[in-house]
Amino acid sequence: VAGCSSAKTDSTSSGSASGGTAAANTNKSIAFVQGVAGDEFYITMECGIQEKAKELGYTVTTQGPQKFDPTLQKPIVDSVTASKPAALLVAPTDVQAMQAPLEQAAKAGIKVVLVDTTVNDPSFAVSEISSDNVGGGKAAFEAIQQAKPDGGKVLVISTDPGVSTVDARVKGFEDAVKTDSKFSYLGVQYSHNDPSTGARLVSAALQKDPDIVGIFATNLFAAEGSATGVRQAGKTGITIVGFDAGPNQIKALEEDTVQALVAQQPNTIGMDGVEQANAALTGGTVEKKIQTGFTIITKDNLSGDGGKAAYKSK
Ligand code: T6T
């Protein structure tokens, strides 16, 4: 992992953290289960996890499903639970479907820390750490508003309903768009975290409404798909605001196929996650909920703070 050389990612469903019968204070293993393998957001989070774990004397095993899909994530969580790490840092892929498997992990005595996404009833978790996703959605609308002061039609491309983070971003955007009568909201369409589906949705939406002025893409893969869809439709002048700042998104910003990015702080989320797990394991003070910030990146701040907020890649 660039810039975090000690990290190792095991993206298969095999492999597990060690632990088992060791007493809680001698078990120094942390399992990290990503929302999806290969996503630069989770890769950057893993860097933060590895760094803090090293400092505090923990070992980390990372696994993630090949798709952002609870049917693929559940067996990974179940096998991690069976291997009894001291702590599990996990980004659940669905608010409902991952509830029971994660409760099981907590019941087995594993300290569960929810990183990024959450579930409907997170009371079993020692801590929840995520971005201000509602605020990020609002900021995305403000970026469109700034670029298109005369208003017009706006569309949202999200991943799947039931993903806590992107649902919150949609809500932040929707609440904001309703306050400005110059804009008309065309609603949200779901790409299932697949860029080519996102591109198809955007092309079809542009056929129906060729006068769309802005698109909010609620995550990395939605942004990738939206930019492709606009390009394939041969359109220019549409403002695309994406969430996340992987290398492809930064390139799109430089090439002006995307106009603004809402960059999260995945590294910080990872570090905080390990700190909270450690506090729970050592009788320290645990913070039940931590909210991390975001940076709006445009071409204008790319060489300064904006560029620093970009994610790492493999
Ligand atoms: O936007 C992030 C993450 O916060 C979200 O929960 C799922 O998608 C990403 O991982 C980006 O692909």
Side-chain angles (χ1 to χ4, degrees):
V1 179
C4 110
S5 52
S6 61
K8 274 198 189 70
T9 297
D10 173 4
S11 60
T12 67
S13 60
S14 64
S16 60
S18 62
T21 54
N25 58 353
T26 59
N27 182 352
K28 300 289 273 182
S29 63
I30 292 177
F32 172 39
V33 176
Q34 304 159 313
V36 62
D39 175 333
E40 284 116 6
F41 172 82
Y42 294 116
I43 290 169
T44 309
M45 189 186 291
E46 188 193 354
C47 289
I49 291 172
Q50 291 282 6
E51 190 183 330
K52 190 49 85 178
K54 199 171 167 198
E55 190 186 310
L56 297 174
Y58 291 90
T59 58
V60 180
T61 306
T62 299
Q63 298 177 74
Q66 291 303 319
K67 283 192 201 156
F68 201 93
D69 179 342
T71 63
L72 301 178
Q73 192 184 41
K74 182 185 178 296
I76 297 177
V77 166
D78 289 346
S79 89
V80 164
T81 299
S83 74
K84 287 201 170 25
L88 166 62
L89 271 54
V90 56
T93 43
D94 185 88
V95 287
Q96 184 52 42
M98 292 311 294
Q99 178 80 38
L102 293 174
E103 263 175 33
Q104 271 313 112
K107 270 196 201 122
I110 300 164
K111 303 295 183 196
V112 178
V113 179
L114 302 176
V115 282
D116 179 44
T117 44
T118 187
V119 290
N120 282 333
D121 176 9
S123 51
F124 61 85
V126 296
S127 181
E128 282 177 88
I129 304 153
S130 70
S131 301
D132 174 7
N133 288 299
V134 174
K138 180 170 184 265
F141 175 66
E142 287 164 356
I144 292 181
Q145 219 174 10
Q146 220 173 26
K148 296 284 187 278
D150 295 338
K153 293 177 182 170
V154 289
L155 173 73
V156 175
I157 299 294
S158 196
T159 63
D160 279 295
V163 180
S164 65
T165 47
V166 294
D167 282 352
R169 293 167 201 168
V170 173
K171 181 171 188 334
F173 186 91
E174 284 179 347
D175 288 350
V177 78
K178 278 181 205 149
T179 66
D180 188 340
S181 59
K182 289 203 289 300
F183 285 87
S184 91
Y185 180 46
L186 299 178
V188 52
Q189 296 198 31
Y190 295 102
S191 67
H192 315 301
N193 216 30
D194 174 27
S196 53
T197 303
R200 266 203 311 279
L201 292 175
V202 166
S203 299
L206 284 168
Q207 287 233 316
K208 189 160 174 273
D209 292 289
D211 52 346
I212 288 173
V213 297
I215 298 174
F216 171 40
T218 66
N219 88 338
L220 214 139
F221 301 103
E224 201 173 310
S226 297
T228 307
V230 168
R231 198 181 61 237
Q232 282 170 350
K235 287 273 179 186
T236 52
I238 296 175
T239 298
I240 302 181
V241 180
F243 226 90
D244 298 307
N248 283 341
Q249 286 65 48
I250 297 293
K251 193 161 163 264
L253 204 61
E254 283 164 351
E255 290 168 351
D256 208 29
T257 53
V258 166
Q259 284 65 43
L261 299 172
V262 184
Q264 308 187 70
Q265 300 173 347
N267 193 278
T268 303
I269 295 174
M271 300 213 352
D272 287 355
V274 175
E275 259 175 12
Q276 294 306 307
N278 179 56
L281 288 164
T282 57
T285 310
V286 179
E287 281 175 74
K288 197 73 188 154
K289 223 172 166 140
I290 298 177
Q291 191 168 76
T292 51
F294 56 82
T295 307
I296 305 291
I297 317 184
T298 62
K299 254 187 165 174
D300 295 341
N301 67 357
L302 203 49
S303 56
D305 283 353
K308 281 188 217 135
Y311 303 170
K312 296 185 175 78
S313 65
K314 274 272 163 207

